[in-house]
Amino acid sequence: MNKKLVFCGGGNMAEGIIRVLLSRGVAVPECITVSELVPDRRTFLSSTYGITAVAEAGDAIKIADMVVVAVNPYQVPSVTQMLKPLVADHAIVLSIAAAITLGALAEQVGENRKIARVVPNTLGQSGNGYSAVCVNARCTDQDKAFIDEVLGALGQVMHLPEGLFNAFSSFSNVGPLWCYKMIEALVDAGVYVGFNRQEARNIVIKNMVGVACVLEESGDHPVMRVDRMTSPGGVTIESLRVLQQEGFATALMNSVIAGFTKTNALE
């Protein structure tokens, strides 16, 4: 891809996207410019990734094919005010700023602009995990394909109505937490029954990866796989009994609901 990208903001999220775009060959350093106010950060980004990092990127914005708004929500109005007279008609303004709606972006950067709102995948380094995207009516199918190409470097892309963005943030983006905590608990349990910590970690991680692959490839519901594992009077059904007794499923559901409620309260 030889299209020109400008990132307004050079923080961790922008850096993560840039790193993956370059490592997967989706973009080349010559086509990426970052507008970043902190001098040390500009030096780090340019020396690490070979991209252009500047305090003011007005000239680059004028010829950009995509401008990524990658700042904290409170900084968005000042960024969009700067962008409004500069962005080319063909360019896509793609925002990864939390809780800033398409409507708010259109008011600030111009109703005639092509605008996309994105909740980016936080597991981009693995190539797995979803980014959510919603575009306004100005975006064409070709624009959507361009957006998918950029976000596809991070993993999978899911086009959602904007009304589901809070649910996505609290379910998909928080999702790794539950996996990490489950792995942590299982590793501790493995140590308790006699494995050293590295052995327990290796077993748990491969089980997690294996289960994910089996479910993805087979399309089976997890219940089907659990049924196959639980023979009468066996070890697995005994382990399942204790999980149910301790409220494992209820605790997970309550955690998801709590995160969703918190996300809604932050709007």
Side-chain angles (χ1 to χ4, degrees), residues 36 38 53 57 67 88 106 123 130 167 186 197 226 234 240-241 247 262:
E36 170 57 50
V38 180
V67 179
L123 293 171
Y130 277 94
L186 286 170
R197 193 157 291 276
V226 171
L240 178 60
R241 179 188 69 81
K262 180 69 172 181

Side-chain angles (χ1 to χ4, degrees), residues 11-179:
N12 290 334
M13 185 59 75
E15 182 188 354
I17 295 172
I18 291 167
R19 181 172 56 246
V20 174
L21 287 173
L22 295 176
S23 67
R24 301 216 161 100
V26 176
V28 294
E30 294 78 14
C31 290
I32 296 178
T33 300
V34 177
S35 174
E36 170 57 50
L37 296 178
V38 180
D40 287 348
R41 187 66 178 165
R42 293 199 299 270
T43 300
F44 169 79
L45 291 170
S46 60
S47 62
T48 303
Y49 301 104
I51 61 176
T52 300
V54 293
E56 300 289 340
D59 290 341
I61 290 168
K62 290 176 183 177
I63 60 173
D65 298 295
M66 177 180 288
V67 179
V68 181
V69 179
V71 295
N72 290 321
Y74 72 90
Q75 297 172 301
V76 169
S78 61
V79 171
T80 51
Q81 183 179 16
M82 176 271 296
L83 291 178
K84 189 171 184 177
L86 298 177
V87 177
D89 290 341
H90 77 279
I92 300 166
V93 177
L94 186 149
S95 171
I96 62 172
I100 306 298
T101 65
L102 284 175
L105 290 165
E107 283 183 12
Q108 295 170 26
V109 80
E111 299 285 347
N112 61 324
R113 298 297 181 197
K114 299 177 178 184
I115 302 172
R117 179 185 173 191
V118 171
V119 180
N121 174 28
T122 56
L123 293 171
Q125 68 184 66
S126 73
N128 288 294
Y130 277 94
S131 298
V133 59
C134 182
V135 302
N136 71 352
R138 297 283 180 175
C139 290
T140 65
D141 288 342
Q142 188 174 6
D143 296 326
K144 294 175 186 176
F146 178 25
I147 293 167
D148 286 355
E149 184 177 9
V150 172
L151 297 179
L154 303 175
Q156 293 69 47
V157 182
M158 186 174 288
H159 287 262
L160 292 174
E162 197 170 21
L164 277 175
F165 266 45
N166 281 359
F168 184 88
S169 295
S170 59
F171 183 63
S172 181
N173 277 22
V174 178
L177 165 73
W178 300 304
C179 297

